[in-house]
Amino acid sequence: MASEDVVGKSRGDTAVTTIVNLAEEAKLAREGVKAPGHQVLSICKSLVAGGVAGGVSRTAVAPLERLKILLQVQNPHSIKYNGTVQGLMYIWRTEGLRGLFKGNGTNCARIVPNSAVKFFSYEQASRGILWLYRQQTGDEDAQLSPLLRLGAGACAGIIAMSATYPMDMVRGRITVQTEKSPYQYRGMFHALGTVYREEGFCALYRGWLPSVIGVVPYVGLNFAVYESLKDWLLKTNPFDLGKDNELHVVTRLGCGAVAGTIGQTVAYPLDVIRRRMQMVGWNHAASIVTGEGKEALQYNGMIDAFRKTVRYEGVGALYKGLVPNSVKVVPSIAIAFVTYEGVKAVLGVEMRISD
């Protein structure tokens, strides 16, 4: 599913909400308990956990992911996909089981390094922001507020998205091409090379700006809401959900689902614009984009894409594909968070998001 900005922090936070307990880790760091080699190993394990979480979660919802992109970019003059159930059945009928997972290989190749970098960057950004916050306040026991956690999540999203954006760009094109497309990308590397030769290097970053802007509410809110919900449940322990100071896996799934729903709803129009901008300049575009011989709209930038989309298709076009995306993002984000923490526990990584 991209673009973000730096989020400032509020100096008026007099009552700092406890979001994550890093006291023990900070104490060990000050005492110099951990050797450099141990730290490197922990970092590597954390990266592996993030990559596995991303790959597993995206594969589980691959059919809905493809349908979402098809709904986002299809030409309004030639509607083939009209709703979640009809769309999935149409793909099954015309392309079979393989069609439901088209583009998933490229998506996993992208999401594994993306998730690994995102989760790792988030933990590092959280540590850095927490250290600066404690230095400014003089309170060694201070914890991250939701606003500071939002900033850490946004930084992580920007870094991860920028590092893997060309892969996401070609993944979108591979996903929408069908057997009837005039020219077939044979895979991620073939698509990257073709786009570079025919459209230039800048084409690989087409749609980057709305992606960056969208990272703030999407990734930032995902992390902030998830961590805040977990902390609130542990502190208040409603219905005995925080028994023994640990949340059950089902409860953590619920936290991830709520976080994903809020983040994707706020950022969704930017995701639609990003996908449409990625299709601009495609010399052999799939029929779903061109509308069976009709000329696809051309956009001169993010604002122009917003303006033309609303003018010719209405405000509702900014939310095309929202239903399958909502169905997809809830289990996807929830599975990603739980898998991430589960893999880290198996690998014996001490620095956990929720510790």
PDB file of all heavy atoms in Angstrom, residues 130-167:
ATOM      1  N   LEU A 130      13.380   8.857  22.869  1.00  0.00           N
ATOM      2  CA  LEU A 130      13.227   8.718  24.316  1.00  0.00           C
ATOM      3  C   LEU A 130      14.438   9.282  25.048  1.00  0.00           C
ATOM      4  O   LEU A 130      14.296   9.964  26.076  1.00  0.00           O
ATOM      5  CB  LEU A 130      13.032   7.248  24.685  1.00  0.00           C
ATOM      6  CG  LEU A 130      12.835   6.946  26.182  1.00  0.00           C
ATOM      7  CD1 LEU A 130      11.594   7.651  26.707  1.00  0.00           C
ATOM      8  CD2 LEU A 130      12.740   5.440  26.412  1.00  0.00           C
ATOM      9  N   TRP A 131      15.628   9.027  24.515  1.00  0.00           N
ATOM     10  CA  TRP A 131      16.849   9.549  25.138  1.00  0.00           C
ATOM     11  C   TRP A 131      16.854  11.078  25.122  1.00  0.00           C
ATOM     12  O   TRP A 131      17.160  11.718  26.132  1.00  0.00           O
ATOM     13  CB  TRP A 131      18.073   9.016  24.396  1.00  0.00           C
ATOM     14  CG  TRP A 131      19.372   9.480  24.988  1.00  0.00           C
ATOM     15  CD1 TRP A 131      20.045   8.948  26.047  1.00  0.00           C
ATOM     16  CD2 TRP A 131      20.155  10.605  24.549  1.00  0.00           C
ATOM     17  NE1 TRP A 131      21.185   9.653  26.301  1.00  0.00           N
ATOM     18  CE2 TRP A 131      21.287  10.682  25.397  1.00  0.00           C
ATOM     19  CE3 TRP A 131      20.004  11.544  23.535  1.00  0.00           C
ATOM     20  CZ2 TRP A 131      22.264  11.664  25.244  1.00  0.00           C
ATOM     21  CZ3 TRP A 131      20.975  12.521  23.381  1.00  0.00           C
ATOM     22  CH2 TRP A 131      22.089  12.581  24.235  1.00  0.00           C
ATOM     23  N   LEU A 132      16.488  11.672  23.969  1.00  0.00           N
ATOM     24  CA  LEU A 132      16.438  13.132  23.871  1.00  0.00           C
ATOM     25  C   LEU A 132      15.381  13.702  24.808  1.00  0.00           C
ATOM     26  O   LEU A 132      15.602  14.745  25.458  1.00  0.00           O
ATOM     27  CB  LEU A 132      16.139  13.549  22.432  1.00  0.00           C
ATOM     28  CG  LEU A 132      17.256  13.329  21.411  1.00  0.00           C
ATOM     29  CD1 LEU A 132      16.752  13.635  19.998  1.00  0.00           C
ATOM     30  CD2 LEU A 132      18.460  14.206  21.734  1.00  0.00           C
ATOM     31  N   TYR A 133      14.240  13.032  24.893  1.00  0.00           N
ATOM     32  CA  TYR A 133      13.161  13.514  25.760  1.00  0.00           C
ATOM     33  C   TYR A 133      13.583  13.491  27.226  1.00  0.00           C
ATOM     34  O   TYR A 133      13.311  14.428  27.977  1.00  0.00           O
ATOM     35  CB  TYR A 133      11.921  12.638  25.552  1.00  0.00           C
ATOM     36  CG  TYR A 133      10.706  13.111  26.304  1.00  0.00           C
ATOM     37  CD1 TYR A 133      10.042  14.275  25.911  1.00  0.00           C
ATOM     38  CD2 TYR A 133      10.207  12.405  27.392  1.00  0.00           C
ATOM     39  CE1 TYR A 133       8.925  14.718  26.589  1.00  0.00           C
ATOM     40  CE2 TYR A 133       9.089  12.831  28.073  1.00  0.00           C
ATOM     41  CZ  TYR A 133       8.450  13.990  27.669  1.00  0.00           C
ATOM     42  OH  TYR A 133       7.344  14.427  28.344  1.00  0.00           O
ATOM     43  N   ARG A 134      14.278  12.442  27.635  1.00  0.00           N
ATOM     44  CA  ARG A 134      14.751  12.354  29.012  1.00  0.00           C
ATOM     45  C   ARG A 134      15.824  13.389  29.296  1.00  0.00           C
ATOM     46  O   ARG A 134      15.901  13.931  30.404  1.00  0.00           O
ATOM     47  CB  ARG A 134      15.273  10.945  29.288  1.00  0.00           C
ATOM     48  CG  ARG A 134      14.179   9.899  29.401  1.00  0.00           C
ATOM     49  CD  ARG A 134      14.743   8.496  29.558  1.00  0.00           C
ATOM     50  NE  ARG A 134      13.680   7.534  29.829  1.00  0.00           N
ATOM     51  CZ  ARG A 134      13.873   6.220  29.905  1.00  0.00           C
ATOM     52  NH1 ARG A 134      15.093   5.717  29.721  1.00  0.00           N
ATOM     53  NH2 ARG A 134      12.865   5.414  30.159  1.00  0.00           N
ATOM     54  N   GLN A 135      16.670  13.665  28.304  1.00  0.00           N
ATOM     55  CA  GLN A 135      17.710  14.680  28.487  1.00  0.00           C
ATOM     56  C   GLN A 135      17.088  16.067  28.669  1.00  0.00           C
ATOM     57  O   GLN A 135      17.546  16.861  29.497  1.00  0.00           O
ATOM     58  CB  GLN A 135      18.650  14.688  27.272  1.00  0.00           C
ATOM     59  CG  GLN A 135      19.523  13.443  27.153  1.00  0.00           C
ATOM     60  CD  GLN A 135      20.509  13.316  28.295  1.00  0.00           C
ATOM     61  OE1 GLN A 135      21.199  14.273  28.633  1.00  0.00           O
ATOM     62  NE2 GLN A 135      20.562  12.140  28.912  1.00  0.00           N
ATOM     63  N   GLN A 136      16.046  16.367  27.888  1.00  0.00           N
ATOM     64  CA  GLN A 136      15.420  17.692  27.956  1.00  0.00           C
ATOM     65  C   GLN A 136      14.604  17.866  29.234  1.00  0.00           C
ATOM     66  O   GLN A 136      14.566  18.952  29.811  1.00  0.00           O
ATOM     67  CB  GLN A 136      14.536  17.913  26.727  1.00  0.00           C
ATOM     68  CG  GLN A 136      15.324  18.120  25.434  1.00  0.00           C
ATOM     69  CD  GLN A 136      14.423  18.582  24.300  1.00  0.00           C
ATOM     70  OE1 GLN A 136      13.220  18.777  24.472  1.00  0.00           O
ATOM     71  NE2 GLN A 136      15.014  18.769  23.134  1.00  0.00           N
ATOM     72  N   THR A 137      13.921  16.806  29.658  1.00  0.00           N
ATOM     73  CA  THR A 137      13.073  16.918  30.851  1.00  0.00           C
ATOM     74  C   THR A 137      13.832  16.669  32.140  1.00  0.00           C
ATOM     75  O   THR A 137      13.371  17.058  33.207  1.00  0.00           O
ATOM     76  CB  THR A 137      11.900  15.918  30.757  1.00  0.00           C
ATOM     77  OG1 THR A 137      12.420  14.583  30.683  1.00  0.00           O
ATOM     78  CG2 THR A 137      11.046  16.193  29.520  1.00  0.00           C
ATOM     79  N   GLY A 138      14.993  15.997  32.033  1.00  0.00           N
ATOM     80  CA  GLY A 138      15.753  15.656  33.227  1.00  0.00           C
ATOM     81  C   GLY A 138      15.138  14.527  34.031  1.00  0.00           C
ATOM     82  O   GLY A 138      15.538  14.273  35.167  1.00  0.00           O
ATOM     83  N   ASP A 139      14.156  13.858  33.443  1.00  0.00           N
ATOM     84  CA  ASP A 139      13.465  12.758  34.122  1.00  0.00           C
ATOM     85  C   ASP A 139      13.924  11.434  33.514  1.00  0.00           C
ATOM     86  O   ASP A 139      13.537  11.090  32.400  1.00  0.00           O
ATOM     87  CB  ASP A 139      11.951  12.915  33.957  1.00  0.00           C
ATOM     88  CG  ASP A 139      11.177  11.827  34.701  1.00  0.00           C
ATOM     89  OD1 ASP A 139      11.816  11.006  35.384  1.00  0.00           O
ATOM     90  OD2 ASP A 139       9.930  11.816  34.579  1.00  0.00           O
ATOM     91  N   GLU A 140      14.747  10.691  34.251  1.00  0.00           N
ATOM     92  CA  GLU A 140      15.282   9.429  33.740  1.00  0.00           C
ATOM     93  C   GLU A 140      14.221   8.335  33.629  1.00  0.00           C
ATOM     94  O   GLU A 140      14.443   7.321  32.977  1.00  0.00           O
ATOM     95  CB  GLU A 140      16.431   8.941  34.641  1.00  0.00           C
ATOM     96  CG  GLU A 140      17.701   9.747  34.505  1.00  0.00           C
ATOM     97  CD  GLU A 140      18.296   9.650  33.108  1.00  0.00           C
ATOM     98  OE1 GLU A 140      18.284   8.549  32.530  1.00  0.00           O
ATOM     99  OE2 GLU A 140      18.750  10.676  32.584  1.00  0.00           O
ATOM    100  N   ASP A 141      13.084   8.541  34.279  1.00  0.00           N
ATOM    101  CA  ASP A 141      12.021   7.539  34.231  1.00  0.00           C
ATOM    102  C   ASP A 141      10.914   7.901  33.242  1.00  0.00           C
ATOM    103  O   ASP A 141       9.906   7.194  33.148  1.00  0.00           O
ATOM    104  CB  ASP A 141      11.398   7.367  35.624  1.00  0.00           C
ATOM    105  CG  ASP A 141      12.406   6.825  36.631  1.00  0.00           C
ATOM    106  OD1 ASP A 141      13.218   5.965  36.220  1.00  0.00           O
ATOM    107  OD2 ASP A 141      12.383   7.256  37.795  1.00  0.00           O
ATOM    108  N   ALA A 142      11.097   9.012  32.500  1.00  0.00           N
ATOM    109  CA  ALA A 142      10.081   9.446  31.541  1.00  0.00           C
ATOM    110  C   ALA A 142       9.916   8.408  30.433  1.00  0.00           C
ATOM    111  O   ALA A 142      10.862   7.713  30.074  1.00  0.00           O
ATOM    112  CB  ALA A 142      10.462  10.797  30.944  1.00  0.00           C
ATOM    113  N   GLN A 143       8.696   8.290  29.907  1.00  0.00           N
ATOM    114  CA  GLN A 143       8.399   7.341  28.836  1.00  0.00           C
ATOM    115  C   GLN A 143       7.850   8.090  27.627  1.00  0.00           C
ATOM    116  O   GLN A 143       7.483   9.268  27.712  1.00  0.00           O
ATOM    117  CB  GLN A 143       7.395   6.294  29.321  1.00  0.00           C
ATOM    118  CG  GLN A 143       7.851   5.499  30.538  1.00  0.00           C
ATOM    119  CD  GLN A 143       9.100   4.694  30.262  1.00  0.00           C
ATOM    120  OE1 GLN A 143       9.288   4.190  29.156  1.00  0.00           O
ATOM    121  NE2 GLN A 143       9.975   4.569  31.259  1.00  0.00           N
ATOM    122  N   LEU A 144       7.773   7.406  26.506  1.00  0.00           N
ATOM    123  CA  LEU A 144       7.290   8.022  25.278  1.00  0.00           C
ATOM    124  C   LEU A 144       5.794   8.325  25.360  1.00  0.00           C
ATOM    125  O   LEU A 144       5.008   7.465  25.773  1.00  0.00           O
ATOM    126  CB  LEU A 144       7.546   7.107  24.085  1.00  0.00           C
ATOM    127  CG  LEU A 144       9.005   6.931  23.638  1.00  0.00           C
ATOM    128  CD1 LEU A 144       9.071   5.894  22.528  1.00  0.00           C
ATOM    129  CD2 LEU A 144       9.597   8.249  23.185  1.00  0.00           C
ATOM    130  N   SER A 145       5.421   9.512  24.934  1.00  0.00           N
ATOM    131  CA  SER A 145       4.010   9.870  24.836  1.00  0.00           C
ATOM    132  C   SER A 145       3.496   9.391  23.479  1.00  0.00           C
ATOM    133  O   SER A 145       4.284   9.077  22.585  1.00  0.00           O
ATOM    134  CB  SER A 145       3.845  11.393  24.944  1.00  0.00           C
ATOM    135  OG  SER A 145       4.434  12.015  23.812  1.00  0.00           O
ATOM    136  N   PRO A 146       2.176   9.343  23.277  1.00  0.00           N
ATOM    137  CA  PRO A 146       1.653   8.931  21.969  1.00  0.00           C
ATOM    138  C   PRO A 146       2.164   9.801  20.830  1.00  0.00           C
ATOM    139  O   PRO A 146       2.410   9.316  19.729  1.00  0.00           O
ATOM    140  CB  PRO A 146       0.129   9.078  22.158  1.00  0.00           C
ATOM    141  CG  PRO A 146      -0.080   8.840  23.618  1.00  0.00           C
ATOM    142  CD  PRO A 146       1.108   9.475  24.292  1.00  0.00           C
ATOM    143  N   LEU A 147       2.338  11.114  21.068  1.00  0.00           N
ATOM    144  CA  LEU A 147       2.823  12.005  20.021  1.00  0.00           C
ATOM    145  C   LEU A 147       4.259  11.679  19.632  1.00  0.00           C
ATOM    146  O   LEU A 147       4.607  11.652  18.446  1.00  0.00           O
ATOM    147  CB  LEU A 147       2.730  13.464  20.492  1.00  0.00           C
ATOM    148  CG  LEU A 147       3.160  14.525  19.450  1.00  0.00           C
ATOM    149  CD1 LEU A 147       2.287  14.407  18.205  1.00  0.00           C
ATOM    150  CD2 LEU A 147       3.072  15.917  20.040  1.00  0.00           C
ATOM    151  N   LEU A 148       5.110  11.408  20.626  1.00  0.00           N
ATOM    152  CA  LEU A 148       6.490  11.052  20.330  1.00  0.00           C
ATOM    153  C   LEU A 148       6.563   9.701  19.635  1.00  0.00           C
ATOM    154  O   LEU A 148       7.394   9.484  18.754  1.00  0.00           O
ATOM    155  CB  LEU A 148       7.312  11.024  21.622  1.00  0.00           C
ATOM    156  CG  LEU A 148       7.475  12.360  22.347  1.00  0.00           C
ATOM    157  CD1 LEU A 148       8.294  12.181  23.621  1.00  0.00           C
ATOM    158  CD2 LEU A 148       8.153  13.386  21.443  1.00  0.00           C
ATOM    159  N   ARG A 149       5.697   8.798  20.025  1.00  0.00           N
ATOM    160  CA  ARG A 149       5.665   7.491  19.370  1.00  0.00           C
ATOM    161  C   ARG A 149       5.190   7.627  17.926  1.00  0.00           C
ATOM    162  O   ARG A 149       5.641   6.903  17.031  1.00  0.00           O
ATOM    163  CB  ARG A 149       4.760   6.533  20.137  1.00  0.00           C
ATOM    164  CG  ARG A 149       4.857   5.107  19.665  1.00  0.00           C
ATOM    165  CD  ARG A 149       4.141   4.163  20.613  1.00  0.00           C
ATOM    166  NE  ARG A 149       4.813   4.094  21.894  1.00  0.00           N
ATOM    167  CZ  ARG A 149       5.912   3.381  22.115  1.00  0.00           C
ATOM    168  NH1 ARG A 149       6.471   2.725  21.130  1.00  0.00           N
ATOM    169  NH2 ARG A 149       6.448   3.341  23.309  1.00  0.00           N
ATOM    170  N   LEU A 150       4.274   8.550  17.680  1.00  0.00           N
ATOM    171  CA  LEU A 150       3.829   8.830  16.324  1.00  0.00           C
ATOM    172  C   LEU A 150       4.997   9.302  15.470  1.00  0.00           C
ATOM    173  O   LEU A 150       5.155   8.891  14.315  1.00  0.00           O
ATOM    174  CB  LEU A 150       2.729   9.903  16.341  1.00  0.00           C
ATOM    175  CG  LEU A 150       2.222  10.397  14.985  1.00  0.00           C
ATOM    176  CD1 LEU A 150       1.558   9.259  14.221  1.00  0.00           C
ATOM    177  CD2 LEU A 150       1.241  11.547  15.173  1.00  0.00           C
ATOM    178  N   GLY A 151       5.838  10.166  16.042  1.00  0.00           N
ATOM    179  CA  GLY A 151       7.010  10.644  15.311  1.00  0.00           C
ATOM    180  C   GLY A 151       7.974   9.526  14.984  1.00  0.00           C
ATOM    181  O   GLY A 151       8.528   9.461  13.881  1.00  0.00           O
ATOM    182  N   ALA A 152       8.176   8.611  15.927  1.00  0.00           N
ATOM    183  CA  ALA A 152       9.066   7.475  15.691  1.00  0.00           C
ATOM    184  C   ALA A 152       8.520   6.579  14.594  1.00  0.00           C
ATOM    185  O   ALA A 152       9.260   6.113  13.715  1.00  0.00           O
ATOM    186  CB  ALA A 152       9.250   6.677  16.983  1.00  0.00           C
ATOM    187  N   GLY A 153       7.204   6.343  14.606  1.00  0.00           N
ATOM    188  CA  GLY A 153       6.588   5.519  13.578  1.00  0.00           C
ATOM    189  C   GLY A 153       6.667   6.159  12.210  1.00  0.00           C
ATOM    190  O   GLY A 153       6.900   5.482  11.202  1.00  0.00           O
ATOM    191  N   ALA A 154       6.490   7.486  12.149  1.00  0.00           N
ATOM    192  CA  ALA A 154       6.576   8.191  10.876  1.00  0.00           C
ATOM    193  C   ALA A 154       7.990   8.132  10.303  1.00  0.00           C
ATOM    194  O   ALA A 154       8.184   7.917   9.106  1.00  0.00           O
ATOM    195  CB  ALA A 154       6.140   9.644  11.059  1.00  0.00           C
ATOM    196  N   CYS A 155       8.983   8.322  11.145  1.00  0.00           N
ATOM    197  CA  CYS A 155      10.384   8.241  10.696  1.00  0.00           C
ATOM    198  C   CYS A 155      10.691   6.854  10.135  1.00  0.00           C
ATOM    199  O   CYS A 155      11.320   6.726   9.081  1.00  0.00           O
ATOM    200  CB  CYS A 155      11.327   8.545  11.863  1.00  0.00           C
ATOM    201  SG  CYS A 155      11.340  10.262  12.383  1.00  0.00           S
ATOM    202  N   ALA A 156      10.229   5.834  10.823  1.00  0.00           N
ATOM    203  CA  ALA A 156      10.460   4.468  10.370  1.00  0.00           C
ATOM    204  C   ALA A 156       9.788   4.219   9.026  1.00  0.00           C
ATOM    205  O   ALA A 156      10.364   3.587   8.130  1.00  0.00           O
ATOM    206  CB  ALA A 156       9.940   3.479  11.407  1.00  0.00           C
ATOM    207  N   GLY A 157       8.574   4.719   8.859  1.00  0.00           N
ATOM    208  CA  GLY A 157       7.852   4.529   7.608  1.00  0.00           C
ATOM    209  C   GLY A 157       8.521   5.219   6.439  1.00  0.00           C
ATOM    210  O   GLY A 157       8.599   4.667   5.337  1.00  0.00           O
ATOM    211  N   ILE A 158       8.997   6.429   6.654  1.00  0.00           N
ATOM    212  CA  ILE A 158       9.663   7.182   5.581  1.00  0.00           C
ATOM    213  C   ILE A 158      10.921   6.465   5.121  1.00  0.00           C
ATOM    214  O   ILE A 158      11.177   6.316   3.923  1.00  0.00           O
ATOM    215  CB  ILE A 158      10.002   8.606   6.060  1.00  0.00           C
ATOM    216  CG1 ILE A 158       8.719   9.407   6.281  1.00  0.00           C
ATOM    217  CG2 ILE A 158      10.903   9.313   5.043  1.00  0.00           C
ATOM    218  CD1 ILE A 158       8.943  10.756   6.912  1.00  0.00           C
ATOM    219  N   ILE A 159      11.719   6.021   6.064  1.00  0.00           N
ATOM    220  CA  ILE A 159      12.976   5.344   5.732  1.00  0.00           C
ATOM    221  C   ILE A 159      12.710   4.059   4.958  1.00  0.00           C
ATOM    222  O   ILE A 159      13.317   3.793   3.907  1.00  0.00           O
ATOM    223  CB  ILE A 159      13.781   5.041   7.007  1.00  0.00           C
ATOM    224  CG1 ILE A 159      14.242   6.354   7.659  1.00  0.00           C
ATOM    225  CG2 ILE A 159      14.995   4.160   6.687  1.00  0.00           C
ATOM    226  CD1 ILE A 159      14.858   6.172   9.032  1.00  0.00           C
ATOM    227  N   ALA A 160      11.793   3.245   5.455  1.00  0.00           N
ATOM    228  CA  ALA A 160      11.507   1.958   4.823  1.00  0.00           C
ATOM    229  C   ALA A 160      10.871   2.139   3.447  1.00  0.00           C
ATOM    230  O   ALA A 160      11.222   1.448   2.489  1.00  0.00           O
ATOM    231  CB  ALA A 160      10.590   1.135   5.730  1.00  0.00           C
ATOM    232  N   MET A 161       9.919   3.050   3.333  1.00  0.00           N
ATOM    233  CA  MET A 161       9.239   3.268   2.068  1.00  0.00           C
ATOM    234  C   MET A 161      10.188   3.784   0.997  1.00  0.00           C
ATOM    235  O   MET A 161      10.191   3.319  -0.136  1.00  0.00           O
ATOM    236  CB  MET A 161       8.089   4.246   2.272  1.00  0.00           C
ATOM    237  CG  MET A 161       7.258   4.543   1.035  1.00  0.00           C
ATOM    238  SD  MET A 161       7.964   5.843  -0.007  1.00  0.00           S
ATOM    239  CE  MET A 161       7.978   7.208   1.136  1.00  0.00           C
ATOM    240  N   SER A 162      11.034   4.739   1.352  1.00  0.00           N
ATOM    241  CA  SER A 162      11.976   5.311   0.385  1.00  0.00           C
ATOM    242  C   SER A 162      12.987   4.274  -0.090  1.00  0.00           C
ATOM    243  O   SER A 162      13.381   4.268  -1.261  1.00  0.00           O
ATOM    244  CB  SER A 162      12.707   6.500   1.010  1.00  0.00           C
ATOM    245  OG  SER A 162      11.791   7.526   1.369  1.00  0.00           O
ATOM    246  N   ALA A 163      13.413   3.404   0.815  1.00  0.00           N
ATOM    247  CA  ALA A 163      14.426   2.410   0.467  1.00  0.00           C
ATOM    248  C   ALA A 163      13.907   1.380  -0.533  1.00  0.00           C
ATOM    249  O   ALA A 163      14.674   0.839  -1.328  1.00  0.00           O
ATOM    250  CB  ALA A 163      14.919   1.707   1.729  1.00  0.00           C
ATOM    251  N   THR A 164      12.614   1.106  -0.513  1.00  0.00           N
ATOM    252  CA  THR A 164      12.065   0.049  -1.361  1.00  0.00           C
ATOM    253  C   THR A 164      11.018   0.549  -2.356  1.00  0.00           C
ATOM    254  O   THR A 164      10.330  -0.261  -2.974  1.00  0.00           O
ATOM    255  CB  THR A 164      11.422  -1.044  -0.482  1.00  0.00           C
ATOM    256  OG1 THR A 164      10.372  -0.459   0.312  1.00  0.00           O
ATOM    257  CG2 THR A 164      12.457  -1.670   0.448  1.00  0.00           C
ATOM    258  N   TYR A 165      10.914   1.852  -2.568  1.00  0.00           N
ATOM    259  CA  TYR A 165       9.836   2.383  -3.403  1.00  0.00           C
ATOM    260  C   TYR A 165       9.869   1.884  -4.851  1.00  0.00           C
ATOM    261  O   TYR A 165       8.809   1.551  -5.409  1.00  0.00           O
ATOM    262  CB  TYR A 165       9.820   3.912  -3.387  1.00  0.00           C
ATOM    263  CG  TYR A 165       8.577   4.458  -4.022  1.00  0.00           C
ATOM    264  CD1 TYR A 165       7.381   4.505  -3.313  1.00  0.00           C
ATOM    265  CD2 TYR A 165       8.567   4.877  -5.352  1.00  0.00           C
ATOM    266  CE1 TYR A 165       6.221   4.966  -3.901  1.00  0.00           C
ATOM    267  CE2 TYR A 165       7.403   5.331  -5.954  1.00  0.00           C
ATOM    268  CZ  TYR A 165       6.227   5.374  -5.224  1.00  0.00           C
ATOM    269  OH  TYR A 165       5.070   5.811  -5.821  1.00  0.00           O
ATOM    270  N   PRO A 166      11.025   1.822  -5.522  1.00  0.00           N
ATOM    271  CA  PRO A 166      11.021   1.316  -6.908  1.00  0.00           C
ATOM    272  C   PRO A 166      10.406  -0.081  -7.011  1.00  0.00           C
ATOM    273  O   PRO A 166       9.719  -0.395  -7.996  1.00  0.00           O
ATOM    274  CB  PRO A 166      12.504   1.306  -7.285  1.00  0.00           C
ATOM    275  CG  PRO A 166      13.096   2.404  -6.458  1.00  0.00           C
ATOM    276  CD  PRO A 166      12.375   2.308  -5.140  1.00  0.00           C
ATOM    277  N   MET A 167      10.628  -0.922  -6.017  1.00  0.00           N
ATOM    278  CA  MET A 167      10.045  -2.256  -6.029  1.00  0.00           C
ATOM    279  C   MET A 167       8.533  -2.185  -5.900  1.00  0.00           C
ATOM    280  O   MET A 167       7.800  -2.960  -6.526  1.00  0.00           O
ATOM    281  CB  MET A 167      10.636  -3.087  -4.883  1.00  0.00           C
ATOM    282  CG  MET A 167      12.145  -3.277  -4.970  1.00  0.00           C
ATOM    283  SD  MET A 167      12.850  -3.970  -3.449  1.00  0.00           S
ATOM    284  CE  MET A 167      12.155  -5.627  -3.508  1.00  0.00           C
TER     285      MET A 167
END
